[in-house]
Amino acid sequence: MSKYLVVFAQAHQEFRVPELESVAQLYNFKISLSDEPEERDPSRPFMIIELESENHVRLLAKRCILIKSIYEFYGRGSTYEVLHLRNRAKRHMWERYIPETSFKFIVAAYNHKIPQHRQKEVVESFAYMGFMGKIDMKTPEITLGCFEEYATRNGQTRERHEGDGDFLQVYFGRLIEEGTARPLVQLFDVKKRSYFGNTSMEAEISLLMANQTLACSGKLIYDPFMGTGSMAYPVAYFGAQVMGSDIDGRQMRGKQTTPGVFRAASQYGVASRIIDICTFDVTNNPWRCGGLFDAIVTDPPYGVRAGAKRLGRKKELDADRLALYHEHRTNPRPDDSPYIPPTRPYELSDLAVDLVLLARYLLKPGGRLVFFLPTVTDQYEEVDIYTMLCDGMEVIANSLQDFGSWGRRLVTIRKVTSELYPPPDFSIRDSEAQDETQRVPAHRHFREKYFQGFKKAEEVEAENLSHLP
Amino acid sequence: MVRLLTHNLLACHVKGCTSNNFPLQFQNVQIELREADFNADFLKNFLPKLEWKALVDSAKDLGDTSLPLEQPEMLDDEFLKNLHHVLLEIHVEEGSMTCPNCKHSYPISNGIPNMLLAEHEIG
């Protein structure tokens, strides 16, 4: 195994390691990260990983949305003295470039800008390497990178270049591959999409989700809350075939004759991979059998801009109205079509439990369920995720996208059983009848909590009292 | 665009309709043929999940008789090409699918099947 330096993009820190691991699993190669918690700290933009071949570096750079570039790792240190000492010891790795290889030097910093005169000093301090090839800034044969990592100075004002040279670590290596997956974030930009809605998922996250599903050619992937299809496009772009369903066909259709999902898919050249989109309620679904899909990926509606719905009524009809309903159904009037059945809200924590059960039924063994779960930051505990698990399903990644008082967690669950399970019964749970001993997950009644501004119960009570005369 | 792949996975799910509820019968269909990328791996992965007889019969209803009555053990190129065409290139754009048992009719409009159930049909 050889060591490589990964330079990450400044986004979605908690998603970095799960993405690396997913892509390694997709292409079936080993990746080894340091055991030191400090070295795995997701807030640091540089990470040393070990891989068996440079080919694996290229696969990571081709597929990981969060990778900016990957370098062959020569050395690092808390000072330049240490770095140079270590780099000299790695002479066997770079001496073949000494005689006549054209090269370029990059000197950059994280959380800081190095003044130009010191950038020059840094480059000159590597003079002992004795490269004889010419410097070529446009098309060099090799690129050497030197990166200083500074501590965050969040929100503090400071003088220009203040603290220059006061870095935590400096890293040095040779560029192997620039990340080529990152530009996909622009390609899938929702604003440039021919069809989208107010709940469409941003491009970068939907690409990260697609990587978590291990999407590739030959696979069939299902989105049970398809909406405007945000999940489908990147998954199909990576080669998988997609099946989608939604209780509300209008979301998938849009207003023109050609359904919106197919128009957007055509824009990305993947229309033929969207196998079909169907209108049905996932709690009353027509799937003939289980074990169909390689992955299920979805962004379930959590009630802020759009609430989850399932077939049924909020209140049961009384006998008279029920008779009237049956009368209308047996003799429909011409203006009564298409018939739109009544729906009732689908509480988020119930939906999450059902979704995991449904995934266990519909996934092939080893298949993955990838979805977003909103949560209240103050109330979240890791056990929340486990309140929705069932036998045969295992959490393999759980990354937070933090919005302050709330956030959403990208949860990846793997089906670890090859046993056959029956489809879930989707029974309507009595939301009031709570088992006292069981923890109430923070995502329960998320909508209500969101519109109360995530205040604690006592604060809401106090506020209600203050409105009394 | 209900394709035969999808059709092969959909059964009538009206409350209590649990036998003879598959395959759904196409009615008054409008068909379009559209090319799709050939992907042998996908077809091979998917083959074990197919109800073969239902696929052959439904293809025949739509006017395609290229598939053998028995699923062959040897998957040669010609067979895979025919299977690809039947599963992925025939699109039912309009019409409906009717349950052979309870006669519930699922309409297809602009290629999207409406599998929603009415209030008295859900469990």
Side-chain angles (χ1 to χ4, degrees):
Chain A
M1 302 270 272
S2 316
K3 287 187 176 176
Y4 298 94
L5 169 68
V6 180
V7 181
F8 287 110
Q10 283 316 299
H12 308 303
Q13 303 168 350
E14 286 204 14
F15 296 65
R16 290 170 179 164
V17 173
E19 189 187 38
L20 285 178
E21 286 173 340
S22 290
V23 173
Q25 195 188 330
L26 172 63
Y27 292 110
N28 199 18
F29 61 80
K30 261 201 273 184
I31 181 167
S32 128
L33 310 181
S34 168
D35 293 329
E36 301 286 320
E38 193 185 294
E39 300 295 317
R40 300 179 65 130
D41 181 354
S43 67
R44 301 177 67 179
F46 305 106
M47 187 179 279
I48 315 280
I49 61 171
E50 289 184 61
L51 297 169
E52 274 165 355
S53 92
E54 258 187 48
N55 195 29
H56 299 162
V57 172
R58 300 213 157 80
L59 290 170
L60 285 177
K62 194 177 86 183
R63 197 55 199 263
C64 290
I65 307 301
L66 295 176
I67 289 183
K68 237 157 91 179
S69 48
I70 305 184
Y71 287 73
E72 182 179 33
F73 179 63
Y74 288 167
R76 65 168 169 182
S78 52
T79 64
Y80 273 96
E81 284 72 45
V82 178
L83 172 67
H84 288 316
L85 203 67
R86 292 187 175 154
N87 187 39
R88 281 175 202 268
K90 292 284 164 63
R91 187 181 172 90
H92 60 278
M93 295 176 78
W94 45 261
E95 66 185 349
R96 65 194 148 124
Y97 304 117
I98 293 177
E100 51 185 358
T101 309
S102 67
F103 66 97
K104 167 181 159 183
F105 233 99
I106 301 175
V107 179
Y110 169 70
N111 276 333
H112 181 73
K113 186 164 168 42
I114 306 174
Q116 216 153 28
H117 67 88
R118 201 170 67 78
Q119 286 189 27
K120 205 170 148 231
E121 280 171 34
V122 169
V123 175
E124 282 164 2
S125 73
F126 285 93
Y128 61 87
M129 292 174 80
F131 277 26
M132 318 228 275
K134 66 175 194 308
I135 296 175
D136 183 342
M137 297 309 282
K138 285 207 178 112
T139 51
E141 285 165 75
I142 63 165
T143 299
L144 299 163
C146 182
F147 303 98
E148 296 177 0
E149 178 188 5
Y150 289 75
T152 45
R153 285 169 288 193
N154 267 347
Q156 297 166 14
T157 52
R158 61 195 141 102
E159 295 292 310
R160 193 176 147 93
H161 305 319
E162 183 188 311
D164 184 42
D166 220 357
F167 49 80
L168 299 170
Q169 284 280 304
V170 52
Y171 301 81
F172 182 62
R174 175 180 64 90
L175 178 68
I176 295 180
E177 197 84 352
E178 300 271 7
T180 50
R182 244 189 119 56
L184 293 179
V185 177
Q186 305 302 319
L187 178 71
F188 285 97
D189 187 356
V190 174
K191 283 178 279 183
K192 293 181 223 149
R193 193 173 293 167
S194 52
Y195 179 70
F196 59 89
N198 63 347
T199 57
S200 292
M201 176 64 77
E202 62 190 280
E204 186 164 7
I205 295 278
S206 62
L207 284 157
L208 286 172
M209 291 179 81
N211 271 343
Q212 287 303 99
T213 67
L214 311 182
C216 67
S217 172
K219 289 188 176 171
L220 182 60
I221 294 181
Y222 173 45
D223 182 350
F225 299 95
M226 193 184 216
T228 54
S230 314
M231 299 303 134
Y233 315 124
V235 164
Y237 183 84
F238 290 139
Q241 312 272 358
V242 183
M243 194 73 92
S245 71
D246 201 298
I247 191 172
D248 189 349
R250 294 171 302 180
Q251 288 286 324
M252 303 184 288
R253 270 176 215 280
K255 287 180 176 163
Q256 298 173 27
T257 320
T258 307
V261 167
F262 292 128
R263 279 187 277 132
S266 304
Q267 182 184 347
Y268 303 121
V270 298
S272 76
R273 296 206 194 116
I274 311 286
I275 299 266
D276 261 307
I277 53 182
C278 310
T279 308
F280 60 77
D281 171 12
V282 76
T283 70
N284 286 277
N285 70 71
W287 297 120
R288 169 173 63 78
C289 60
L292 290 172
F293 303 112
D294 296 281
I296 293 177
V297 60
T298 195
D299 178 28
Y302 44 78
V304 177
R305 273 179 282 190
K309 296 268 191 260
R310 55 185 294 177
L311 291 182
R313 266 183 208 277
K314 282 189 211 168
K315 259 185 168 169
E316 290 298 315
L317 294 177
D318 58 40
D320 291 351
R321 279 165 175 265
L322 199 62
L324 201 64
Y325 162 78
H326 280 294
E327 164 72 27
H328 278 296
R329 287 304 297 149
T330 36
N331 306 304
R333 291 189 313 224
D335 62 348
D336 189 26
S337 124
Y339 164 72
I340 312 269
T343 57
R344 52 179 284 152
Y346 196 0
E347 206 287 315
L348 185 66
S349 60
D350 292 342
L351 181 152
V353 170
D354 286 345
L355 183 60
V356 178
L357 287 167
L358 179 75
R360 180 173 68 173
Y361 171 63
L362 286 179
L363 285 175
K364 294 178 185 170
R368 286 180 168 199
L369 166 65
V370 180
F371 70 106
F372 256 114
L373 193 68
T375 189
V376 184
T377 308
D378 283 347
Q379 296 169 15
Y380 173 79
E381 284 178 38
E382 205 178 326
V383 294
D384 284 2
I385 300 294
Y386 297 94
T387 58
M388 61 195 188
L389 279 190
C390 53
D391 284 348
M393 300 296 275
E394 224 172 74
V395 174
I396 54 174
N398 171 7
S399 318
L400 175 70
Q401 188 185 15
D402 197 346
F403 299 126
S405 57
W406 69 288
R408 52 184 184 181
R409 293 189 165 267
L410 179 58
V411 183
T412 308
I413 293 176
R414 185 167 179 266
K415 177 172 170 177
V416 290
T417 175
S418 49
E419 254 176 78
L420 295 177
Y421 282 91
D425 65 358
F426 294 109
S427 56
I428 291 170
R429 296 175 194 86
D430 186 349
S431 57
E432 300 312 314
Q434 273 289 319
D435 183 350
E436 294 277 315
T437 58
Q438 243 176 4
R439 179 180 151 75
V440 180
H443 53 270
R444 187 167 184 86
H445 297 302
F446 180 79
R447 179 191 157 84
E448 288 74 11
K449 291 172 181 169
Y450 181 93
F451 285 112
Q452 283 164 4
F454 303 111
K455 292 192 196 95
K456 301 205 170 59
E458 310 87 71
E459 289 174 356
V460 175
E461 189 105 326
E463 206 162 83
N464 288 343
L465 286 175
S466 71
H467 289 308
L468 294 174
Chain B
M1 50 180 199
V2 179
R3 309 197 210 189
L4 286 180
L5 186 152
T6 313
H7 175 261
N8 203 266
L9 299 179
L10 299 176
C12 179
H13 54 124
V14 166
K15 179 170 66 172
C17 185
T18 51
S19 61
N20 189 30
N21 59 345
F22 173 85
L24 303 172
Q25 307 292 317
F26 282 118
Q27 276 171 347
N28 307 320
V29 293
Q30 278 175 37
I31 291 172
E32 260 184 47
L33 299 181
R34 253 178 270 155
E35 260 182 57
D37 302 332
F38 179 76
N39 186 332
D41 289 339
F42 178 73
L43 295 173
K44 286 176 194 163
N45 285 346
F46 203 74
L47 208 51
K49 284 292 164 194
L50 287 172
E51 276 286 338
W52 189 255
K53 188 177 179 308
L55 181 68
V56 175
D57 290 350
S58 310
K60 205 153 71 181
D61 285 349
L62 301 182
D64 189 297
T65 53
S66 61
L67 293 180
L69 290 179
E70 296 290 326
Q71 190 175 326
E73 281 176 23
M74 283 289 292
L75 307 177
D76 60 27
D77 281 358
E78 198 201 332
F79 167 73
L80 287 176
K81 287 246 156 66
N82 288 336
L83 181 64
H84 167 75
H85 178 72
V86 168
L87 280 180
L88 295 168
E89 296 189 325
I90 305 176
H91 299 252
V92 177
E93 291 292 326
E94 301 288 330
S96 66
M97 299 183 284
T98 304
C99 172
N101 180 39
C102 75
K103 308 297 175 205
H104 181 108
S105 171
Y106 299 95
I108 300 169
S109 153
N110 290 327
I112 302 182
N114 182 348
M115 309 298 291
L116 286 173
L117 298 177
E119 209 172 342
H120 61 279
E121 294 169 327
I122 59 176

